[in-house]
Amino acid sequence: MKKKVFLPMLAATLLFGMGLVACGNQGNSNGKQQTTSSVPARPKINATAPGDKKSVELEIDGEVQLTADQADVAWKSSDEKVATVDQTGKVKAIASGSATITASKEGYTSGSVSITVRKPAALGTLKMEDADHYAADGWWGTGDDGSTPLYARTSGNASDAQCIAHMDNGDKETLTFASDKAIKAELVVMMASRTAVDDLTAVMDVKFNEAAITPTNKALEGGSSSEFAEVSFGQVDIKAGDNVLLFEFKASAPYMDDVMLYSKEAATITAKPAAAKDAIVITNTELAVTEGETLQLTGAPAGARYVSSDETKATVDENGLVSAVAKGSVAITVIKEGMLSARVSITVNEKVVEGSFLTEFEAGEQEGAAITFKDATGGYRVTNAFPQGETLTVPINAPKAGKFTMIFVARIAYSVTFDGNLASAFEIKLNGNAVSTSVTLNGNSWTEYTIADVDLNNGANTLTLKALADNNPVNFDTIKFVPKA
């Protein structure tokens, strides 16, 4: 019996000695067995709110007493702008948001309680759409065609899918409401902006009952125009009777939705929508006229005044008589105090001179690399980006021989730095003869530029443009030839 016990034990001893077991002293050259020690886990502090809760919701100015299962812990708030805590564990809600209250003690793992602070239900909510819209340019709307009224922002997360939008320098909004008694309240406006606003005071002046007020947080994050955020203007004194909130804009302004009033005091707040305005109605709002001619606007009420958006294209007198000056588009705004304005879109057509004709630049051919063609306004196409040293050759088929004024429709290419001097960018030749020009292009809008008076042969002629500058700083559209008298 002793042998049966001894032999297995000996075999086991030999196996261990040969190092065939994966753990043990593998890799330890001195043959000593390695040992490890573990640190005892520190006990964790159990911090709780009443009801053994780990999270609490409070209204602003609300309080809650927290407790810990260890004595002499140190209490700390992660954000004292949201909630504070004293060394007894009493928490006070300061402003809407979230904070973590932590209890800590040497030798223990800290415990915590989450605090969410929210505003109480609003005492009153007012709609900015009820404000008395005023646009400094006389047009109760926005855009070149005046198609969008100031109030008609209908997308985004506005509370009713509609809010005030498209305010600009000089515009105003006046919102009036009544209270049945005098109280103090926090005034909050919902705002959104496509681009970040670093300082709202640079965008708008705000007055409440004629006293200037400023937002508590002057910055507004940019992004999607649908992302409305609360902007607080702090505590205001609401008086019994009518109260007036006035926004005066100094720059392109954020979108504005609801105005909320928060107070511990009870009161009845009643919105007083601005009186509806009658709209000026013009008989025809889309008209055309030829250069040098006139047309009469009809339908405006007595005492209305007229404003042209571009007097280089058309002027208008105090009676609504429009005089066409030059080819292009222009808007005439009809304004009368107390009424919604009207806008008339007018197209000024070019006066055709007998014997004039057009040639398109893309009818030409370029030596070397191919020209890139792009669609231009008016259904034309435009040559673009032929490199330095390349020549564009355009065939001209004149209806008769004689002296003509040559006019280019051109523009400076977008995102190109260029002083506009055409002669420095291109060498221009007609039938092999140099064409001198002192033209300076003045922007990236399609514009007619008179190049020079030239002599054309009856029938075939050849115009060449050699690029003197790389990157082609000019886009070309059409060439017009007008016979000289």
Side-chain angles (χ1 to χ4, degrees):
M1 294 296 291
K2 291 182 179 178
K3 290 182 179 179
K4 289 181 181 179
V5 174
F6 175 77
L7 289 175
M9 290 180 65
L10 178 61
T13 302
L14 290 173
L15 287 175
F16 275 97
M18 295 172 65
L20 298 181
V21 178
C23 48
N25 67 351
Q26 183 179 7
N28 188 357
S29 60
N30 60 18
K32 295 181 180 179
Q33 186 168 342
Q34 294 176 330
T35 59
T36 59
S37 62
S38 59
V39 178
R42 296 194 304 174
K44 183 175 181 178
I45 298 170
N46 184 30
T48 60
D52 203 28
K53 293 180 180 180
K54 289 292 188 179
S55 61
V56 179
E57 281 194 4
L58 296 174
E59 290 187 356
I60 293 175
D61 292 334
E63 295 182 344
V64 63
Q65 180 65 56
L66 305 185
T67 57
D69 61 354
Q70 300 296 323
D72 301 324
V73 298
W75 295 96
K76 185 177 180 180
S77 171
S78 65
D79 190 345
E80 293 193 342
K81 293 180 180 178
V82 173
T84 60
V85 60
D86 66 17
Q87 290 311 303
T88 70
K90 180 177 285 187
V91 175
K92 182 174 181 179
I94 305 300
S96 57
S98 299
T100 300
I101 307 299
T102 303
S104 59
K105 184 176 181 179
E106 187 175 355
Y108 291 81
T109 299
S110 299
S112 62
V113 176
S114 298
I115 304 294
T116 301
V117 181
R118 56 181 174 79
K119 293 181 182 293
L123 176 67
T125 299
L126 309 168
K127 304 254 179 226
M128 282 301 301
E129 298 94 285
D130 290 335
D132 187 12
H133 315 292
Y134 170 83
D137 62 2
W139 171 242
W140 203 62
T142 187
D144 292 339
D145 59 357
S147 60
T148 308
L150 285 170
Y151 63 89
R153 178 75 185 179
T154 56
S155 63
N157 66 346
S159 60
D160 57 357
Q162 183 170 303
C163 65
I164 294 294
H166 310 297
M167 290 82 65
D168 212 336
N169 183 26
D171 294 346
K172 298 178 184 179
E173 288 291 355
T174 303
L175 182 65
T176 304
F177 66 92
S179 175
D180 65 340
K181 64 179 182 179
I183 59 169
K184 286 186 176 294
E186 181 189 11
L187 191 151
V188 175
V189 182
M190 298 299 294
M191 293 186 186
S193 181
R194 287 189 181 275
T195 57
V197 180
D198 295 330
D199 186 356
L200 283 167
T201 62
V203 174
M204 64 178 70
D205 289 327
V206 186
K207 294 180 180 179
F208 185 73
N209 291 335
E210 299 186 353
I213 57 175
T214 58
T216 302
N217 181 3
K218 297 180 181 180
L220 185 65
E221 290 186 7
S224 170
S225 60
S226 65
E227 298 300 324
F228 281 86
E230 292 185 358
V231 176
S232 175
F233 286 83
Q235 294 288 318
V236 295
D237 291 316
I238 297 175
K239 61 185 181 181
D242 288 351
N243 295 264
V244 178
L245 177 62
L246 170 64
F247 296 88
E248 295 180 319
F249 301 105
K250 299 183 283 188
S252 182
Y255 305 138
M256 303 173 67
D257 192 21
D258 295 341
V259 176
M260 284 90 72
L261 300 168
Y262 295 97
S263 178
K264 291 182 178 181
E265 304 176 66
T268 300
I269 303 296
T270 306
K272 301 189 73 173
K277 296 180 176 67
D278 292 330
I280 296 173
V281 178
I282 301 298
T283 305
N284 293 305
T285 57
E286 293 186 7
L287 299 168
V289 63
T290 301
E291 289 175 329
E293 297 182 358
T294 62
L295 61 82
Q296 179 66 53
L297 301 182
T298 58
R305 61 188 180 92
Y306 304 83
V307 178
S308 170
S309 64
D310 187 349
E311 292 194 342
T312 66
K313 299 294 186 293
T315 61
V316 61
D317 69 13
E318 67 276 9
N319 298 313
L321 182 66
V322 177
S323 299
V325 177
K327 177 184 175 181
S329 298
V330 63
I332 305 297
T333 304
V334 188
I335 304 166
K336 186 173 182 180
E337 189 70 28
M339 298 185 73
L340 302 185
S341 305
R343 182 165 289 191
V344 182
S345 297
I346 296 176
T347 299
V348 179
N349 294 319
E350 182 181 13
K351 185 176 182 179
V352 178
V353 178
E354 186 177 353
S356 298
F357 67 98
L358 295 177
T359 297
E360 296 189 8
F361 271 102
E362 63 267 24
E365 295 182 357
Q366 181 188 359
E367 300 172 2
I371 300 170
T372 301
F373 292 104
K374 291 187 178 181
D375 288 337
T377 55
Y380 297 113
R381 289 158 65 83
V382 57
T383 62
N384 185 59
F386 54 97
Q388 184 177 10
E390 295 293 341
T391 299
L392 176 66
T393 302
V394 184
I396 308 295
N397 187 25
K400 65 176 183 178
K403 190 173 286 294
F404 288 76
T405 299
M406 183 168 64
I407 300 169
F408 286 178
V409 175
R411 70 180 183 184
I412 298 175
Y414 287 95
S415 303
V416 173
T417 301
F418 177 52
D419 64 6
N421 183 352
L422 187 61
S424 70
F426 291 92
E427 177 186 77
I428 305 171
K429 289 185 178 181
L430 181 64
N431 296 328
N433 299 315
V435 176
S436 297
T437 182
S438 58
V439 163
T440 299
L441 280 68
N442 55 22
N444 51 30
S445 296
W446 293 108
T447 306
E448 288 189 353
Y449 295 96
T450 298
I451 304 303
D453 290 340
V454 296
D455 292 309
L456 292 178
N457 300 322
N458 183 23
N461 296 264
T462 302
L463 177 72
T464 61
L465 283 82
K466 182 178 180 180
L468 303 177
D470 202 5
N471 253 347
N472 180 18
V474 183
N475 294 160
F476 297 107
D477 190 1
T478 57
I479 316 163
K480 181 167 63 175
F481 292 92
V482 179
K484 296 289 291 183

